[in-house]
């Protein structure tokens, strides 16, 4: 599957946005306030964003929950319905642009759109490309029992199971190895 630079940036953004949500009621929200949202916008080099407000933070948190539902969708039809609602509500206005040293690419948000609509349009369309390509199963949640982080499986054979193989993957592999060793020791002893 060919993924353009701007689509990859949008995918990274939506995954990071979904992963800012607290995993349970004891965890902290990684977007607690407007300065944190500003840092998120700056980190992801999101263009055409004006002065941020509490309303922007509320809007971004609302679409974050809607994006999370897409990663939980049971099938392509469900994912498509959620994406359609999200993108339609954002009032998409596709236009070609070249800015900040990037070659021509498409922005889907309307000029002057709120940051929530901007993210809903651009990130929603990036996710839509996966549904169109029949690759929606690549939009996943980590399979580690104590982690539900979102990720996009871009492996060639669609085999990625963990959000990060160095943390969740290694941790589970080491735990399984230790369990096997303990079982072998108990069986031998």
């Amino acid at each position: 599957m060919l993924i353009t630079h701007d689509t990859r940036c949008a995918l990274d953004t939506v995954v990071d946005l979904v992963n800012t949500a607290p995993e349970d009621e004891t965890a902290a929200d990684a977007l607690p306030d407007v300065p944190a949202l500003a840092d998120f916008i700056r980190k992801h080099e999101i263009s055409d964003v004006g002065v941020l407000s509490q309303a922007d933070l509320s809007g971004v948190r609302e679409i974050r929950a809607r994006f999370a539902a897409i990663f939980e969708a049971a099938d392509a039809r469900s994912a498509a319905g959620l994406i359609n609602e999200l993108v339609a509500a954002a009032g998409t206005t596709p236009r070609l642009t070249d800015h900040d040293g990037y070659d021509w690419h498409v922005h889907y948000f309307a000029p002057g759109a709120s940051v929530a609509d901007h993210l809903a349009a651009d990130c929603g369309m990036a996710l839509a490309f996966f549904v169109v390509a029949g690759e929606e199963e690549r939009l996943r949640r980590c399979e580690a029992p104590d982690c539900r982080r979102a990720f996009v499986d871009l492996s060639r054979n669609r085999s990625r199971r963990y959000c990060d193989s160095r943390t969740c993957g290694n941790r589970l592999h080491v735990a399984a190895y230790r369990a096997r060793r303990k079982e072998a020791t108990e069986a031998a002893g």
Side-chain angles (χ1 to χ4, degrees):
M1 177 175 185
L2 175 65
I3 300 174
T4 62
H5 173 77
D6 52 312
T7 299
R8 180 60 193 256
C9 289
L11 290 171
D12 291 344
T13 300
V14 73
V15 164
D16 287 351
L17 179 61
V18 169
N19 290 334
T20 64
E23 290 188 27
D24 59 39
E25 57 279 345
T26 64
D29 192 318
L31 285 180
D33 51 29
V34 174
L37 177 59
D39 287 342
F40 181 88
I41 299 298
R42 199 170 17 266
K43 174 186 173 196
H44 291 282
E45 298 178 350
I46 299 170
S47 62
D48 297 331
V49 175
V51 176
L52 296 170
S53 67
Q54 191 64 38
D56 289 314
L57 179 62
S58 296
V60 168
R61 285 180 174 167
E62 190 261 317
I63 64 149
R64 174 180 69 184
R66 295 176 77 184
F67 278 128
I70 295 165
F71 280 84
E72 301 289 337
D75 54 36
R77 185 164 304 286
S78 300
L82 294 167
I83 293 167
N84 283 341
E85 290 172 10
L86 189 66
V87 171
T92 58
T93 307
R95 69 189 193 293
L96 287 167
T97 184
D98 65 340
H99 61 86
D100 299 327
Y102 295 107
D103 204 358
W104 289 106
H105 58 283
V106 180
H107 279 188
Y108 295 94
F109 61 93
S114 71
V115 67
D117 285 345
H118 178 144
L119 292 170
D122 276 1
C123 296
M125 290 304 299
L127 296 176
F129 295 140
F130 276 77
V131 174
V132 168
E135 300 284 352
E136 68 282 345
E137 76 276 0
R138 290 180 181 270
L139 309 176
R140 297 192 176 160
R141 291 289 190 157
C142 184
E143 291 183 19
D146 58 342
C147 181
R148 295 296 301 146
R149 294 178 59 85
F151 68 94
V152 178
D153 179 3
L154 297 177
S155 67
R156 182 170 292 165
N157 63 357
R158 299 173 191 87
S159 62
R160 188 170 159 199
R161 298 175 49 207
Y162 306 110
C163 63
D164 185 345
S165 61
R166 291 181 306 254
T167 55
C168 289
N170 278 349
R171 188 168 33 85
L172 287 174
H173 290 136
V174 167
Y177 170 78
R178 288 180 179 158
R180 285 191 307 272
R181 297 276 300 176
K182 181 178 179 185
E183 188 177 294
T185 302
E186 290 173 354

